[in-house]
Amino acid sequence: MYYKMILTYNFSDDDTRSSFEELVEGFGFVEAEDQSTYVLPYSNSLKSTDVTNAIGDWSLIKDIQISKEDFVQLFYLLSLTINEKKVTKIASKYMEYNSKTKGLMLKL
């Protein structure tokens, strides 16, 4: 199977972890053999921004408990044109705890 995205995560609260797993499974992610890892089949049309925006919104729900150690990292293919050549690279987005919002936010 070919994957469009690979998602790794850590949530210290069991209820938060379960809610997160339901969220990503709803997008079509499938649990991988590695612990705390999900993969998205290549045939899925989601973009990385769709996933990170939805995770950010989910993390702001009042009954979701996000802690300072919690994170989500998304790996995906990125196509660029460099010197008139198309290049595909693996890119990643890292979401971490934000003390102002108490949710997850992309680390810049």
Side-chain angles (χ1 to χ4, degrees), residues 10-52:
N10 180 64
F11 291 105
S12 51
D13 182 78
D14 291 340
D15 291 335
T16 300
R17 185 179 322 103
S18 294
S19 176
F20 177 78
E21 291 169 349
E22 287 177 24
L23 174 75
V24 297
E25 288 172 359
F27 289 133
F29 279 87
V30 179
E31 190 171 11
E33 291 180 22
D34 295 335
Q35 186 176 7
S36 301
T37 304
Y38 275 80
V39 294
L40 185 69
Y42 195 79
S43 60
N44 193 299
S45 63
L46 280 177
K47 296 178 183 173
S48 64
T49 53
D50 298 332
V51 175
T52 55

Side-chain angles (χ1 to χ4, degrees), residues 33-93:
E33 291 180 22
D34 295 335
Q35 186 176 7
S36 301
T37 304
Y38 275 80
V39 294
L40 185 69
Y42 195 79
S43 60
N44 193 299
S45 63
L46 280 177
K47 296 178 183 173
S48 64
T49 53
D50 298 332
V51 175
T52 55
N53 287 343
I55 292 170
D57 292 345
W58 163 85
S59 74
L60 297 175
I61 297 172
K62 291 183 183 186
D63 63 343
I64 300 296
Q65 300 296 315
I66 305 295
S67 73
K68 293 178 184 177
E69 296 81 28
D70 295 346
F71 72 87
V72 173
Q73 187 160 16
L74 183 69
F75 298 92
Y76 58 99
L77 294 177
L78 178 65
S79 295
L80 304 167
T81 302
I82 301 174
N83 297 328
E84 299 180 19
K85 291 183 181 179
K86 186 175 180 177
V87 178
T88 302
K89 295 185 172 204
I90 297 174
S92 72
K93 293 182 179 182

